[in-house]
Amino acid sequence: MLAAKRPVQAGSKLDLSQPDYYFNRDLSWIEYNNRILHEAFDPRTPLLERLNFMAIFYSNLDEFFMVRVAALKQQAAEAESIAASDPLVAIAERLRPMVEQQQRHFEQALLPQLAAQGIHLLSHASLNPDQQAYLAQYFRETIFPVLTPLAIDASHPFPYIANLSLNLAVVVQDSQGGAARFARVDVPALLPRFVPLPADLQTSLQGQHQPVWVGVPIEQVIAHHLPLLFYGMTVQAQYAFRITRNAEVELEDEPLDLLRAVEQELRRRRVGATALRLEIEATAPAWIRRTLIQALELTAADIYQTQGLLALQDLRTLAALPLPQLKYAPWTAPVPPSLRAAQPSAQPSAQPQYDRVFSVIRQGDRLLHHPYDSFAASVQLFLAEAAADPQVLAIKMTLYRTSANSPILQSLIAAAENGKQVAVLIELQARFDEANNIFWARQLEQAGVHVVHGLVGLKTHAKMILVVRREAGELKRYLHLGTGDYNPKTAAFCTDVGLLSCREALGADLSELFNALTGHSRQRQYRQLLVAPVNLRQRLVSLIQREAQAAQAGAPARIVAKLGALADPQMIAALYSASQAGVKIDLIVQNVCTLRPGLPGVSDNISVISLVGRFLEHSRILYFHNRGAEETYIGSADWMTHSLNRRVEVMTPVQDPALSKDLQEILGILLADNRHAWELRPTGRYVQRRPRSARSEINAQKILMEMALNRL
């Protein structure tokens, strides 16, 4: 381990409330998204994966506007001051060159590289007569019937434009003369964004490879055939544009029916949400921009002009092309060795065996690390066996996000149909998954599952399952506590850890926590669990202070924290104080980090890295040296104010020494990475680590994949 620098002299005091000690939260998030964009620029990233990172960058930016910019605009409006708008100015100044850089790289670098591999995204203007004839027929048969041109004039009020929809602003003039008129055409979202050409129309294209896919953006196909929509008019010009609206769900303080209240708010969001951003082709004339700005109640500062295609999140369709040579090597997560004995036999006996998973857990706690361990062979199997086992009496779990037709949900429905008591807390306010969660809440209720629709004023973000089983005339509790959603799809590309256990104290804690969530219990004490907003913050601060006290006494002191985000002032102040005391602190923070490392006398002993690679680093793992009696924790909580104060979050100690060492090994591998790791400097700039040679490269995710395969 690296030696800590000399601590600040005892008695020295700093005012840690000063803003100079913290980065701006929103600018920090923008830098995270810039690291994602860098993966789209990095030639070491496979070509189609670079498209995928470009799509992720674009989608992330949409969400940033829908949530964070929306909140800042509201604050500025309520404050009615120029100073309140300063964060919005700083955001725009940082974002504009970044978006322009993305557009240039896509047009000037990625498109030619795709063409060299036989993937051609063409402009309609570059097509030959045969190709144009095909698209003309496609337009008449497939696109034209679903288009609805909307005129905008004194008798046609400005239409509602859906959030994130792609549109064409069309300038037309009566063929008999008169002033230019404005109309809007919505690009149908249900049709393919990129219209593919048939194989017999691809042969004339040049490239290193035979054409494997050739297509044209659908908005260009529509633009070329606009005269068919405006009969008797002359189409003078058209310009693609797109708007972003506020996507926050705002509820009454005490709604009588949370599910109905969320449904009503979703309807309001669809038809009445405030516009925040206008993206439009840079060639659009000033009067078109003014028309849209006035109708959408925006300002010139809300316009983002583009020189290329809009809605680049649709690049995912090209990234999904079946060309494995242009993607990451396929990864199939193996069965965790600790659960091999629990797997169903290839030739099942006539009598079903229900005790496979439970007997393995009784032998000791089991640590899971996804996607390096199979989700299907662990968490899914745990729930499926619980649903079928006649000795299981009850299943309780939380659901924040899950996938459609998830095996997890099917197991819960099967358990209810098998007569078990099944209780599920579904968080209806999981952002951007509200509608999906409402659907599944109703499906589960119809199957006989007891569904709790979350808590007013608190989001339930904890990831936990409790299974109650009858064994030898007594009841025994089995559980899973994790860091990731119970979603088989995200388990394939998000790194998360989880614990399967039947420890008595944890089971008792979980029973009491579920009673607090589903009933009127006001549980304030837990044996081992750290629960927000009850005791998590206080316990974390005390753990940090314990390391500081050890350092002050001359004992070794070390903290390693892997988090999704870090922006809570109290937690940062505690880390600063520990650094001043001489504690060596390593932070692995995925996105937002407002702590400033490396400040003399404040954070000399703190280092911060962020890893952006093939998998999204989502797990939360904590390590405290504790004078040699090392402690590790896993759980759902980031160190954000809303996570610690306004969410139900759970962290659990990992008490098995061998499993604790496994977690420490994971942290050590991540800290050593020099392929995907970025170091945060005191200035706020992130600098990517670079190996001196290919042989010295340390790719943490690749190492963890190899370790998983070597356990076979």
Side-chain angles (χ1 to χ4, degrees):
M1 292 185 183
L2 296 176
K5 296 181 181 179
R6 175 179 291 182
V8 174
Q9 290 295 322
S12 62
K13 290 290 184 181
L14 296 172
D15 182 3
L16 295 180
S17 66
Q18 292 298 313
D20 288 347
Y21 295 123
Y22 305 89
F23 295 124
N24 176 272
R25 166 184 170 174
D26 296 305
L27 294 180
S28 178
W29 182 90
I30 290 172
E31 293 308 315
Y32 162 63
N33 210 30
N34 192 41
R35 296 194 292 280
I36 289 176
L37 184 59
H38 180 272
E39 289 297 306
F41 296 167
D42 195 329
R44 296 175 295 177
T45 305
L47 183 56
L48 290 185
E49 304 294 351
R50 295 168 69 182
L51 285 186
N52 201 40
F53 277 110
M54 191 158 278
I56 293 170
F57 169 86
Y58 205 95
S59 294
N60 284 352
L61 206 53
D62 285 343
E63 293 188 12
F64 178 72
F65 272 90
M66 289 188 286
V67 178
R68 288 301 303 165
V69 172
L72 291 171
K73 275 180 165 285
Q74 184 174 349
Q75 292 171 14
E78 292 171 353
E80 295 183 347
S81 69
I82 297 176
S85 300
D86 287 348
L88 291 168
V89 174
I91 287 170
E93 289 178 349
R94 183 66 185 99
L95 275 181
R96 290 187 192 281
M98 197 180 297
V99 172
E100 291 170 3
Q101 184 185 28
Q102 179 200 29
Q103 290 286 348
R104 282 196 307 272
H105 188 77
F106 176 67
E107 298 287 339
Q108 299 174 13
L110 289 186
L111 283 180
Q113 291 179 42
L114 289 168
Q117 296 295 328
I119 303 167
H120 300 265
L121 182 59
L122 304 176
S123 67
H124 193 281
S126 68
L127 301 179
N128 63 38
D130 290 339
Q131 294 167 334
Q132 290 189 1
Y134 169 81
L135 288 178
Q137 181 180 358
Y138 180 86
F139 176 83
R140 289 191 299 271
E141 295 177 354
T142 305
I143 303 176
F144 180 82
V146 298
L147 294 180
T148 304
L150 296 174
I152 301 171
D153 54 31
S155 58
H156 298 88
F158 194 88
Y160 180 79
I161 300 175
N163 185 33
L164 305 183
S165 63
L166 186 58
N167 305 268
L168 292 176
V170 185
V171 181
V172 298
Q173 186 178 31
D174 194 302
S175 57
Q176 303 300 318
R181 302 181 185 182
F182 182 84
R184 171 252 185 167
V185 176
D186 177 33
V187 177
L190 295 178
L191 295 178
R193 170 67 190 286
F194 305 117
V195 182
L197 295 177
D200 61 337
L201 296 178
Q202 300 177 6
T203 54
S204 62
L205 296 167
Q206 299 297 317
Q208 296 175 10
H209 301 271
Q210 287 294 321
V212 293
W213 185 93
V214 180
V216 181
I218 190 172
E219 65 270 26
Q220 294 186 15
V221 179
I222 295 172
H224 187 76
H225 296 91
L226 283 173
L228 296 177
L229 292 174
F230 298 95
Y231 184 78
M233 308 290 286
T234 300
V235 177
Q236 295 183 331
Q238 67 282 321
Y239 309 95
F241 73 95
R242 184 173 182 264
I243 67 167
T244 313
R245 295 184 180 274
N246 184 347
E248 279 292 83
V249 173
E250 300 175 3
L251 301 178
E252 301 174 11
D253 291 338
E254 293 291 340
L256 296 177
D257 185 331
L258 186 58
L259 186 146
R260 187 176 297 276
V262 173
E263 277 189 317
Q264 292 174 346
E265 185 62 16
L266 287 177
R267 282 194 288 269
R268 182 206 63 79
R269 188 172 77 181
R270 280 195 294 270
V271 300
T274 306
L276 303 165
R277 174 182 58 161
L278 169 64
E279 299 170 87
I280 190 167
E281 286 187 60
T283 54
W287 74 270
I288 290 285
R289 295 199 299 271
R290 283 197 304 271
T291 300
L292 291 171
I293 286 173
Q294 292 171 4
L296 297 169
E297 298 181 347
L298 295 171
T299 69
D302 300 317
I303 294 182
Y304 282 73
Q305 300 184 57
T306 178
Q307 300 287 347
L309 292 179
L310 293 172
L312 291 182
Q313 79 281 351
D314 292 331
L315 292 176
R316 287 191 176 97
T317 60
L318 298 184
L321 289 171
L323 301 170
Q325 70 276 17
L326 301 180
K327 300 182 180 183
Y328 293 125
W331 171 249
T332 301
V335 175
S338 62
L339 290 178
R340 285 176 191 161
Q343 302 307 306
S345 172
Q347 297 179 338
S349 61
Q351 295 297 322
Q353 300 296 314
Y354 295 112
D355 195 31
R356 290 184 297 257
V357 174
F358 301 115
S359 63
V360 168
I361 298 174
R362 283 195 298 273
Q363 297 170 26
D365 290 356
R366 306 299 175 186
L367 182 69
L368 306 172
H369 191 194
H370 310 296
Y372 311 107
D373 291 328
S374 168
F375 185 82
S378 54
V379 178
Q380 281 181 210
L381 181 64
F382 175 59
L383 261 182
E385 186 163 306
D389 187 350
Q391 301 305 314
V392 169
L393 305 181
I395 300 173
K396 301 181 181 183
M397 75 176 296
T398 57
L399 276 176
Y400 192 74
R401 288 190 172 97
T402 192
S403 58
N405 300 317
S406 166
I408 297 290
L409 295 165
Q410 300 306 324
S411 290
L412 293 172
I413 291 172
E417 292 173 345
N418 289 337
K420 306 180 192 309
Q421 289 289 317
V422 183
V424 178
L425 191 150
I426 294 186
E427 181 48 70
L428 298 183
Q429 299 177 73
R431 187 177 291 134
F432 305 117
D433 277 287
E434 300 97 340
N436 186 56
N437 286 1
I438 288 172
F439 170 81
W440 279 110
R442 291 202 164 111
Q443 293 292 108
L444 292 171
E445 284 176 332
Q446 291 174 7
V449 174
H450 300 294
V451 177
V452 178
H453 300 146
L455 304 176
V456 176
L458 293 174
K459 281 189 180 181
T460 302
H461 189 248
K463 326 295 183 182
M464 51 194 187
I465 303 173
L466 177 66
V467 173
V468 181
R469 190 172 190 266
R470 184 190 295 112
E471 295 179 1
E474 298 181 352
L475 297 184
K476 193 172 186 67
R477 286 173 286 216
Y478 295 83
L479 59 95
H480 175 269
L481 292 166
T483 68
D485 297 319
Y486 293 113
N487 186 333
K489 290 185 178 179
T490 57
F493 63 84
C494 290
T495 71
D496 278 299
V497 292
L499 186 73
L500 289 168
S501 177
C502 60
R503 291 197 332 242
E504 180 88 18
L506 277 183
D509 275 353
L510 216 51
S511 288
E512 292 170 357
L513 177 54
F514 271 111
N515 289 340
L517 295 176
T518 62
H520 291 295
S521 169
R522 295 188 178 274
Q523 188 76 21
R524 305 300 299 176
Q525 299 291 330
Y526 294 93
R527 299 158 187 81
Q528 294 184 0
L529 289 183
L530 311 185
V531 180
V534 180
N535 65 346
L536 177 57
R537 177 188 290 278
Q538 295 86 344
R539 181 59 177 156
L540 290 175
V541 171
S542 69
L543 291 171
I544 295 171
Q545 291 174 340
R546 185 182 65 186
E547 294 299 314
Q549 292 166 1
Q552 289 170 337
R558 180 85 185 277
I559 296 171
V560 183
K562 183 177 186 295
L563 305 164
L566 169 60
D568 181 76
Q570 183 182 358
M571 298 304 300
I572 294 174
L575 292 171
Y576 283 161
S577 295
S579 173
Q580 290 175 297
V583 181
K584 177 70 174 68
I585 302 171
D586 287 301
L587 304 175
I588 307 169
V589 185
Q590 176 67 10
N591 48 68
V592 172
C593 180
T594 60
L595 176 148
R596 294 187 66 179
L599 293 177
V602 179
S603 53
D604 312 61
N605 295 312
I606 303 177
S607 68
V608 180
I609 66 168
S610 171
L611 274 78
V612 178
R614 172 177 184 166
F615 303 129
L616 173 65
E617 290 292 339
H618 189 259
S619 59
R620 288 91 167 182
I621 307 171
L622 308 179
Y623 165 83
F624 300 92
H625 184 266
N626 191 27
R627 295 177 183 258
E630 299 167 312
E631 292 184 2
T632 52
Y633 296 79
I634 65 170
S636 61
D638 285 325
W639 290 2
M640 304 285 282
T641 301
H642 66 264
S643 297
L644 300 175
N645 292 356
R646 300 188 297 277
R647 282 187 172 186
V648 178
E649 305 273 15
V650 169
M651 303 289 294
T652 182
V654 177
Q655 294 185 328
D656 185 301
L659 301 187
S660 179
K661 289 295 183 185
D662 288 343
L663 288 171
Q664 293 174 48
E665 182 179 34
I666 292 170
L667 292 174
I669 292 170
L670 294 172
L671 288 171
D673 185 282
N674 63 11
R675 168 61 183 89
H676 295 294
W678 296 71
E679 295 180 357
L680 176 58
R681 300 293 170 81
T683 59
R685 181 186 175 206
Y686 281 85
V687 178
Q688 189 177 41
R689 291 175 177 171
R690 291 276 178 171
R692 294 182 178 179
S693 65
R695 295 183 62 183
S696 62
E697 179 180 281
I698 302 173
N699 185 333
Q701 294 184 348
K702 183 178 179 181
I703 290 171
L704 291 167
M705 293 165 73
E706 292 171 349
M707 289 173 60
L709 293 176
N710 289 336
R711 295 197 305 261
L712 294 176

